[in-house]
Amino acid sequence: ALPLEVSAPNLVVLNPSTPPQTQAGADITVTWTAKNSGNASALTPWTERAVLSTDEWFGNWDDVVLGTVNQTTELAVDGTVTRAVTGQVPWGWQGNYTLFIGVDAGRSVVESNEKDNTFSTAINVEYGRPPADLLIGVVNVPASAGTGRPVDLS
């Protein structure tokens, strides 16, 4: 039997930087380095993505995309590229969520290991008051009013 050597790229996430907590409505920046740890160049194109999720699964219906990077040049063996995306945490979110970073998010690169393309970490989202949340201080109304007649409010 002859030995068979398979050459393939392998994209992995290195040096992720994410905030441990944030506030609803806030912009957060996520950074990472994508590395080709395989034994062949990674051919293009592919997409890298940072998302917030209500569950522990990357790529399903509940993900909110914080930012996307499209890779348009080859990445050599042991080559790296550093990424940074900024996105807004949805209004109304509060509690514990998962922040994911996924390289080759669309599975367009055939790799030696498809199971190491994502990084995940917990992130706590605190309540944030929406900017359109208007508060009324004082309402002045007349002492009496008639049915079907206009009323002045101030």
Side-chain angles (χ1 to χ4, degrees):
L2 296 174
L4 177 63
E5 183 177 324
V6 176
S7 295
N10 187 42
L11 299 172
V12 297
V13 177
L14 298 178
N15 306 317
S17 176
T18 65
Q21 67 182 31
T22 188
Q23 189 175 38
D27 285 341
I28 60 171
T29 298
V30 179
T31 63
W32 70 93
T33 299
K35 179 179 181 177
N36 178 4
S37 66
N39 59 4
S41 290
L43 304 178
T44 58
W46 73 81
T47 301
E48 300 177 25
R49 188 171 290 136
V51 303
L52 283 175
S53 179
T54 60
D55 60 27
E56 298 173 1
W57 301 101
F58 176 72
N60 62 358
W61 63 271
D62 70 325
D63 292 354
V64 172
V65 177
L66 295 173
T68 299
V69 178
N70 295 311
Q71 179 69 17
T72 57
T73 58
E74 269 186 35
L75 189 57
V77 173
D78 291 326
T80 61
V81 287
T82 301
R83 310 296 196 190
V85 297
T86 301
Q88 185 182 46
V89 177
W91 291 105
W93 279 27
Q94 185 177 0
N96 295 316
Y97 297 88
T98 305
L99 191 149
F100 287 99
I101 300 169
V103 294
D104 192 22
R107 302 278 191 234
S108 58
V109 178
V110 177
E111 300 180 62
S112 59
N113 184 354
E114 295 284 356
K115 295 181 180 179
D116 62 355
N117 289 47
T118 59
F119 163 84
S120 67
T121 188
I123 184 169
N124 181 267
V125 178
E126 297 174 350
Y127 174 78
R129 183 176 296 202
D133 192 7
L134 303 176
L135 300 176
I136 298 174
V138 176
V139 177
N140 294 314
V141 297
S144 62
T147 303
R149 297 198 167 190
V151 175
D152 290 328
L153 303 176
S154 62

